């Protein structure tokens, strides 16, 4: 039985959920900031659902089934590097690579170390530095230096496990912005926008986890898709990377999240 056909208990079946919207990406303040950071029109969110029980050891099968599903191929949006326009996937993906990415950070205190290490001043202003390049980015402040320059003095302020957290990845993505990004002088716009989008996405995951606890014969989780010119992101309960498009000097990475939550111990986001 082909992938996506109902009744095949060993194969995941997906459906597109166009009615699901993500308010965090469309508020006037977010829209204004994305425009300043050269990301407006280059970031999109889509939702998909599936109806089989997810097993961690089958994450590769899950992701491959997603990209081969007939409900995904004509609906999943990609940003074309050549035209700058949104296009649909349109074809099956031949190869994927899946890794686990943690979503354990639920407080913005995670970024307090930026103040403690004098990367950001007490008044919120980002400390400047001599200009240098980390291709293709011009680095003119300590924030982008700690995000990008591995041999910088304060790079280890965030450990490797810290840098693998979804919260950090989202923050870094917004700080670096697009090709014509106008950087902020203060840290608050980055932190506020990261918090808003993260809460929107993680709250959806928590709702999905609650639903999974209450439904005995059908498990329904939501896949959240965020794309931009720098990286692609999928969200639900596992995360996978796949090289999709060549952009700048490297690759555009596809991040596919599937992080399993325990409903009994779910904490409140941002107390």
């Amino acid at each position: 039985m082909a992938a996506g056909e109902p009744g095949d208990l060993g194969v995941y079946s997906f459906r597109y959920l166009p009615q699901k919207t993500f308010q965090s990406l469309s508020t006037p303040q977010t829209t204004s900031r994305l425009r300043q950071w050269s990301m407006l029109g280059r970031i999109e969110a889509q939702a998909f659902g599936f109806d089989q029980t997810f097993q961690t050891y089958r994450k590769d099968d899950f992701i491959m089934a997603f990209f081969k599903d007939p409900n995904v191929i004509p609906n999943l949006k990609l940003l074309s590097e050549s035209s700058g326009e949104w296009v649909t996937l349109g074809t099956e993906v031949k190869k994927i690579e899946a890794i686990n990415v943690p979503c354990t950070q639920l407080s913005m205190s995670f970024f307090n170390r930026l103040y403690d290490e004098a990367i950001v001043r007490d008044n919120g202003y980002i400390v400047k530095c001599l200009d240098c390049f980390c291709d293709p980015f011009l680095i003119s402040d300590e924030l982008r230096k700690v995000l990008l320059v591995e041999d910088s003095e304060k790079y280890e302020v965030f450990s490797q496990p810290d840098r693998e957290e979804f919260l950090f990845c989202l923050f870094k993505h917004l700080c670096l912005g697009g090709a014509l990004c106008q950087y902020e002088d203060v840290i608050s716009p980055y932190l506020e926008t990261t918090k808003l989008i993260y809460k929107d996405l993680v709250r959806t995951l928590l709702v999905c986890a609650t639903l999974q606890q209450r439904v005995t014969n059908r498990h329904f989780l939501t896949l959240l898709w965020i794309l931009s010119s720098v990286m692609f992101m999928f969200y639900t309960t596992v995360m996978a990377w796949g090289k999709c498009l060549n952009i700048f000097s490297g690759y555009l990475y596809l991040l596919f999240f599937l992080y399993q939550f325990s409903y009994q111990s779910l904490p409140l986001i941002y107390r």
Side-chain angles (χ1 to χ4, degrees):
M1 189 172 292
E5 292 186 16
D8 187 347
L9 299 178
V11 178
Y12 294 100
S13 178
F14 298 84
R15 65 189 182 96
Y16 179 40
L17 304 174
Q19 72 279 9
K20 170 60 184 173
T21 60
F22 305 94
Q23 298 301 318
S24 62
L25 295 174
S26 59
T27 67
Q29 188 175 58
T30 299
T31 299
S32 176
R33 288 172 176 173
L34 291 178
R35 181 182 293 110
Q36 178 178 337
W37 301 336
S38 189
M39 298 174 71
L40 186 64
R42 303 180 68 82
I43 185 168
E44 177 70 26
Q46 291 179 272
F48 295 84
F50 65 95
D51 60 0
Q52 296 287 336
T53 301
F54 175 77
Q55 303 292 342
T56 304
Y57 70 90
R58 293 191 61 206
K59 63 181 184 295
D60 289 346
D61 294 335
F62 176 88
I63 298 168
M64 184 58 77
F66 177 81
F67 286 110
K68 289 180 176 291
D69 193 277
N71 292 318
V72 173
I73 293 174
N75 291 302
L76 185 63
K77 293 181 181 179
L78 304 175
L79 190 61
S80 170
E81 179 189 1
S82 57
S83 68
E85 301 293 330
W86 290 100
V87 298
T88 57
L89 181 61
T91 186
E92 292 184 0
V93 171
K94 302 300 182 183
K95 184 179 180 181
I96 60 95
E97 180 184 357
I99 63 172
N100 293 322
V101 173
C103 300
T104 62
Q105 295 296 329
L106 298 176
S107 171
M108 295 302 288
S109 61
F110 177 74
F111 296 108
N112 285 352
R113 68 195 80 182
L114 294 175
Y115 294 91
D116 298 338
E117 297 296 330
I119 295 167
V120 177
R121 303 187 194 279
D122 291 340
N123 60 7
Y125 277 82
I126 301 168
V127 176
K128 301 298 182 180
C129 68
L130 295 176
D131 288 353
C132 63
F133 280 92
C134 185
D135 194 33
F137 298 99
L138 171 64
I139 298 173
S140 57
D141 58 56
E142 293 292 337
L143 177 59
R144 265 154 285 280
K145 184 183 289 187
V146 81
L147 293 177
L148 290 171
V149 183
E150 295 185 12
D151 59 355
S152 65
E153 179 182 354
K154 298 180 180 179
Y155 186 81
E156 293 185 359
V157 166
F158 292 97
S159 65
Q160 188 56 39
D162 289 335
R163 292 172 183 274
E164 293 170 357
E165 285 281 344
F166 169 49
L167 181 61
F168 181 89
C169 293
L170 180 57
F171 174 75
K172 178 180 178 180
H173 185 42
L174 295 175
C175 289
L176 297 181
L180 301 176
C181 178
Q182 301 174 52
Y183 295 131
E184 301 284 351
D185 291 323
V186 294
I187 193 69
S188 56
Y190 298 128
L191 294 176
E192 291 167 0
T193 309
T194 297
K195 176 179 178 178
L196 185 66
I197 297 175
Y198 189 75
K199 286 179 67 175
D200 195 11
L201 299 176
V202 174
R203 181 183 295 116
T204 300
L205 294 179
L206 301 184
V207 171
C208 292
T210 302
L211 182 61
Q212 185 173 10
Q213 291 290 326
R214 294 178 179 175
V215 179
T216 56
N217 60 353
R218 183 164 181 253
H219 296 283
F220 181 81
L221 296 177
T222 302
L223 293 171
L224 311 177
W225 171 247
I226 288 192
L227 308 94
S228 81
S229 60
V230 180
M231 68 175 74
F232 295 87
M233 298 182 183
F234 272 99
Y235 312 81
T236 156
T237 59
V238 126
M239 188 179 211
W241 289 66
K243 293 179 181 177
C244 294
L245 298 173
N246 197 343
I247 190 168
F248 296 120
S249 60
Y251 288 93
L252 204 80
Y253 287 99
L254 174 69
L255 302 178
F256 184 77
F257 293 73
L258 190 58
Y259 182 83
Q260 291 186 319
F261 288 90
S262 170
Y263 176 63
Q264 293 84 353
S265 60
L266 290 178
L268 292 175
I269 304 171
Y270 306 135
R271 290 187 284 273

